[in-house]
Amino acid sequence: MQDLADASTGNQATPRCLHCSEQLVLDELWGWVHDGGEYLCRDRESGEVLCQPATLI
């Protein structure tokens, strides 16, 4: 997993998805994917696959 460094404080930030707030990892082929390896977001309550791709905040 690639962490993003905050240049002003030196703190490490965990990459999160804009749509579902789940943790993201950087895949060499797909770009940003959810930590479980899925490209598309899932609804937190129902688990339904949504049409939004993993998007870095």
Side-chain angles (χ1 to χ4, degrees), residues 11-25:
N11 292 336
Q12 296 293 322
T14 301
R16 297 277 175 190
C17 180
L18 175 68
H19 305 292
C20 65
S21 301
E22 293 295 321
Q23 186 172 339
L24 298 177
V25 293

Side-chain angles (χ1 to χ4, degrees), residues 3-49:
D3 283 336
L4 304 177
D6 181 343
S8 61
T9 64
N11 292 336
Q12 296 293 322
T14 301
R16 297 277 175 190
C17 180
L18 175 68
H19 305 292
C20 65
S21 301
E22 293 295 321
Q23 186 172 339
L24 298 177
V25 293
L26 189 56
D27 181 86
E28 291 181 18
L29 179 63
W30 291 98
W32 291 106
V33 297
H34 295 91
D35 194 25
E38 294 183 333
Y39 181 68
L40 295 176
C41 294
R42 285 191 175 268
D43 184 273
R44 286 194 239 184
E45 294 178 17
S46 69
E48 177 184 1
V49 176

